[in-house]
Amino acid sequence: MRLSVERQVDLARLINIAALFALIGVLAGSLHLQFGVGEQPCPLCLVQRSGMIGLAVGPMMNLLWGIRARHYALSILAASVGAAGSVRQIFLHIADAADPGYGPDFFGLHLYTWAFVTFAVGVVGCAVLLLWEAPLTSGDQGLRGTPGLMRVAAYTAITWVILDAILIAVSVIPECGLGMCPDDPSDISGLGDTGGWVLIGLMGVLSLAIGVLLDRRRPARA
Amino acid sequence: MLSMFVLWLVVFAGIVLRWRWTPGIVIVTLVWTAVLLKLHMNDAIPLNF
């Protein structure tokens, strides 16, 4: 069975949307730790968040501008910078065997280790998608002109990433002001476990609402 | 470190509005992120490679 180029482009778009939701999941975990548990992110954690946001840029551009090799390249570069931050933090904490690590662990690994895993998977994922020639050479112009469920999902994911970035940017102001962040920031009183997930859930609902609205407002390309 | 995320918001505006120079701002943002990472590498890590 051989898929048509259009089908292959659709499949590549689906993978890009799934990648965005995976990144949203990782960011949701860190945002829950910050706003639910009340643990402020360290400077290295913020560098890794920046890498995560950068990793999302490639799929966002693929979905809105069309699938191109250079968009994957941008994600690989972002993953490299983010991975540098997470490796630095891993080294800081494995150098001393008595060091319990920074923050709580999740399924046996600290968040900076999971961040490194995410960046590594991102690089491998981009490399694999770069081997897939048909979507790259199809002349795809993005899904702005193709209304439907996939466009709603894409707009929802893109909006969610942007809302996450806005929330992170705003939360940096009280923690760090306009300058550098403290190495070991003091904790804040969070919204609690449930409150943190409710906040993340509300961001998801808002993103979905914006995604549906954008899909309805933007007509199909003639 | 706020600047890092402000730059990402500019990148997102560029993606949504299809600014041609958006990939360039992505590169600048990543370089700036790397600079901030370097500025935070204060402690020597006793690793023997």
Side-chain angles (χ1 to χ4, degrees), chain A residues 111-144:
Chain A
L111 288 187
Y112 41 84
T113 312
W114 280 118
F116 177 74
V117 171
T118 305
F119 292 128
V121 169
V123 169
V124 172
C126 286
V128 169
L129 287 169
L130 280 169
L131 292 171
W132 189 8
E133 209 167 326
L136 296 170
T137 54
S138 65
D140 174 37
Q141 294 298 308
L143 45 59
R144 287 188 198 231

Side-chain angles (χ1 to χ4, degrees), chain A residues 50 54 64-65 88 144 169 179, chain B residues 1 8 15-16 18-19 33 43:
Chain A
S50 178
L64 293 183
W65 292 19
R88 164 76 187 174
R144 287 188 198 231
Chain B
M1 300 194 93
W8 281 125
I15 293 174
V16 171
R18 296 190 81 118
W19 294 336
T33 301
D43 307 321

Side-chain angles (χ1 to χ4, degrees), chain A residues 20-69:
Chain A
L20 280 183
F21 277 112
L23 280 170
I24 288 165
V26 176
L27 283 173
S30 70
L31 289 174
H32 176 266
L33 195 63
Q34 180 177 0
F35 295 102
V37 181
E39 189 164 311
Q40 292 277 65
C42 59
L44 289 175
C45 312
L46 289 172
V47 166
Q48 289 160 62
R49 283 187 185 183
S50 178
M52 294 280 175
I53 292 170
L55 198 50
V57 162
M60 286 170 76
M61 290 172 94
N62 278 336
L63 292 167
L64 293 183
W65 292 19
I67 297 167
R68 301 285 183 278

Side-chain angles (χ1 to χ4, degrees), chain A residues 80-103:
Chain A
S80 305
V81 173
S86 50
V87 165
R88 164 76 187 174
Q89 200 167 7
I90 290 168
F91 281 176
L92 268 177
H93 295 294
I94 63 171
D96 178 4
D99 187 335
Y102 186 87

Side-chain angles (χ1 to χ4, degrees), chain B residues 10-42:
Chain B
V10 174
V11 166
F12 290 154
I15 293 174
V16 171
L17 299 173
R18 296 190 81 118
W19 294 336
R20 256 191 328 178
W21 31 272
T22 305
I25 313 173
V26 175
I27 303 288
V28 169
T29 308
L30 291 173
V31 170
W32 182 235
T33 301
V35 168
L36 290 176
L37 169 64
K38 177 67 185 152
L39 289 175
H40 267 288
M41 290 166 69
N42 303 318

Side-chain angles (χ1 to χ4, degrees), chain A:
Chain A
M1 186 184 75
R2 190 170 171 83
L3 286 176
S4 66
V5 173
E6 288 77 18
R7 286 279 176 205
Q8 292 188 53
V9 168
D10 277 346
L11 190 57
R13 284 174 176 167
L14 267 179
I15 293 170
N16 276 274
I17 291 169
L20 280 183
F21 277 112
L23 280 170
I24 288 165
V26 176
L27 283 173
S30 70
L31 289 174
H32 176 266
L33 195 63
Q34 180 177 0
F35 295 102
V37 181
E39 189 164 311
Q40 292 277 65
C42 59
L44 289 175
C45 312
L46 289 172
V47 166
Q48 289 160 62
R49 283 187 185 183
S50 178
M52 294 280 175
I53 292 170
L55 198 50
V57 162
M60 286 170 76
M61 290 172 94
N62 278 336
L63 292 167
L64 293 183
W65 292 19
I67 297 167
R68 301 285 183 278
R70 62 182 173 179
H71 301 162
Y72 290 121
L74 290 174
S75 282
I76 290 173
L77 289 174
S80 305
V81 173
S86 50
V87 165
R88 164 76 187 174
Q89 200 167 7
I90 290 168
F91 281 176
L92 268 177
H93 295 294
I94 63 171
D96 178 4
D99 187 335
Y102 186 87
D105 65 315
F106 182 70
F107 287 114
L109 297 177
H110 287 279
L111 288 187
Y112 41 84
T113 312
W114 280 118
F116 177 74
V117 171
T118 305
F119 292 128
V121 169
V123 169
V124 172
C126 286
V128 169
L129 287 169
L130 280 169
L131 292 171
W132 189 8
E133 209 167 326
L136 296 170
T137 54
S138 65
D140 174 37
Q141 294 298 308
L143 45 59
R144 287 188 198 231
T146 50
L149 202 58
M150 196 185 295
R151 194 167 76 167
V152 172
Y155 284 165
T156 301
I158 290 166
T159 305
W160 204 338
V161 171
I162 294 174
L163 287 180
D164 278 352
I166 292 172
L167 186 64
I168 292 169
V170 170
S171 70
V172 165
I173 299 171
E175 185 191 342
C176 319
L178 299 178
M180 298 296 270
C181 297
D183 278 338
D184 200 3
S186 49
D187 291 349
I188 55 169
S189 55
L191 299 167
D193 190 44
T194 310
W197 289 122
V198 167
L199 173 73
I200 289 159
L202 284 176
M203 285 174 69
V205 171
L206 181 61
S207 303
L208 178 62
I210 292 172
V212 171
L213 270 176
L214 286 174
D215 185 63
R216 287 192 177 179
R217 282 173 63 95
R218 284 184 175 273
R221 191 182 290 145

